[in-house]
Amino acid sequence: SLSIDDIQPNFSEIGKFTTTYDYKGTAEDTEQQRAIIPNRAFNVEKAADAINKQVIKPGESWSFNEVVGDRTEKNGWKEANGIFGGDKLTLQFGGGVCQVSTTLYNAVLKAFPYIEIVERQRHSIPSTYVDMGLDATVDTNHIDFIFKNTSDHPLYIYAYYANNKMAKSRKRDLTVVIYGEALPAGHEYKTRTVLISEEPPGEDIITESSKLFIGEEKILAEARSKYVVQLFVDHYVNGEVTEQNFRYEDTYPGNPLKKQVGTMPTPTPVPEPTPTPSPTPAE
């Protein structure tokens, strides 16, 4: 119902953020990893397509899960690694979608005066594609990322992906841009994280398994340190910090190494009988 002339006076880039993901494995990856990496890339791009060209009206709240939908096989999502139980990775339909919600979250934070974060939750394991304190996890029917447009004008979401310039053959960049009412001239907002503390993992947790042979091991969860991080969104005017906005403190709980060791006796090899040589044929 709006014309371009209606939109343009209040249409300016006010937030932008980019993360990078693999879409193809390398010779150093395992066969399983080479199969999973393209699936994860597919999920990232499917979710990016879903949020692209979304419009949030003034006073309206926007839900990632509502727009992207349930991540199920029936809905066309593929299996890729996702966090399970807080400390391990397992194959899940829609694995990798959190990179899209996280990239969107960081773009939204740059439009600080015009948004209100309604729901956002950190991962239990720090993400590899953003600094700690800047992630926004999502889970079908469980964890959502929701924000509200508190400005007097619509907000527009654009999401796109392209080959990474430094690694075109195996990496792509995901970019999310937020458009809306222009910030005052010379004003911008930048995120800043502060590491408050770090604690090493506790003692290894080792359990026995009768399904593994003696000498065999199975890693259930890698050892991870505990981190406490604070997030600030700093207000800059003409390049100078004028205000430090504390947002929250995140605690990544960490976990000890968890592994199983085998107790099943190694079977004694049965020697094969020595073959009887064939008789030499008579001339």
Side-chain angles (χ1 to χ4, degrees), residues 45-59:
E45 293 166 9
K46 181 176 171 67
D49 290 339
I51 70 170
N52 185 40
K53 299 182 181 179
Q54 286 284 300
V55 181
I56 306 100
K57 298 176 182 178

Side-chain angles (χ1 to χ4, degrees), residues 44-263:
V44 167
E45 293 166 9
K46 181 176 171 67
D49 290 339
I51 70 170
N52 185 40
K53 299 182 181 179
Q54 286 284 300
V55 181
I56 306 100
K57 298 176 182 178
E60 185 177 59
S61 292
W62 186 91
S63 160
F64 185 92
N65 282 346
E66 188 175 301
V67 171
V68 175
D70 294 348
R71 274 75 77 190
T72 62
E73 183 178 17
K74 181 180 178 181
N75 288 342
W77 298 92
K78 296 187 177 182
E79 284 189 307
N81 281 334
I83 299 173
F84 177 78
D87 59 5
K88 60 182 69 68
L89 298 177
T90 61
L91 289 179
Q92 303 170 20
F93 289 105
V97 163
C98 291
Q99 183 159 353
V100 182
S101 57
T102 292
T103 309
L104 171 62
Y105 174 54
N106 281 266
V108 164
L109 284 176
K110 294 179 181 293
F112 184 77
Y114 299 154
I115 56 96
E116 174 189 336
I117 303 300
V118 178
E119 182 177 342
R120 171 265 170 191
Q121 187 170 316
R122 58 152 178 81
H123 289 82
S124 56
I125 299 174
S127 300
T128 58
Y129 41 83
V130 289
D131 292 338
M132 290 183 290
L134 291 175
D135 53 328
T137 185
V138 289
D139 188 16
T140 296
N141 298 322
H142 181 49
I143 302 171
D144 203 354
F145 169 51
I146 304 173
F147 67 95
K148 182 178 180 180
N149 177 5
T150 59
S151 76
D152 297 327
H153 301 277
L155 296 176
Y156 304 85
I157 301 173
Y158 288 89
Y160 58 91
Y161 39 89
N163 286 346
N164 179 273
K165 293 181 179 179
M166 301 298 292
K168 294 181 180 180
S169 64
R170 63 186 185 89
K171 291 181 180 289
R172 292 189 182 124
D173 293 331
L174 168 67
T175 300
V176 176
V177 187
I178 307 296
Y179 286 89
E181 180 184 6
L183 295 169
H187 290 244
E188 62 179 329
Y189 291 82
K190 298 180 181 180
T191 56
R192 174 171 54 90
T193 58
V194 178
L195 178 62
I196 301 301
S197 65
E198 177 181 354
E199 297 178 19
E203 293 185 6
D204 296 352
I205 297 177
I206 303 174
T207 56
E208 296 182 341
S209 172
S210 60
K211 296 181 180 180
L212 299 174
F213 290 114
I214 294 173
E216 287 185 323
E217 294 183 351
K218 181 180 180 180
I219 303 299
L220 302 178
E222 299 286 350
R224 298 180 181 89
S225 296
K226 175 183 177 180
Y227 298 98
V228 178
V229 180
Q230 291 183 345
L231 173 70
F232 294 81
V233 180
D234 294 335
H235 183 191
Y236 286 75
V237 179
N238 297 323
E240 298 292 332
V241 177
T242 60
E243 186 181 11
Q244 299 179 5
N245 298 290
F246 170 74
R247 300 306 300 155
Y248 51 74
E249 183 173 279
D250 273 342
T251 299
Y252 297 85
N255 58 267
L257 173 72
K258 298 179 182 179
K259 70 176 180 179
Q260 292 179 332
V261 295
T263 60

Side-chain angles (χ1 to χ4, degrees), residues 26-38:
T26 67
E28 297 177 356
D29 295 316
T30 65
E31 184 177 347
Q32 183 184 32
Q33 288 172 327
R34 288 195 294 271
I36 293 173
I37 288 171

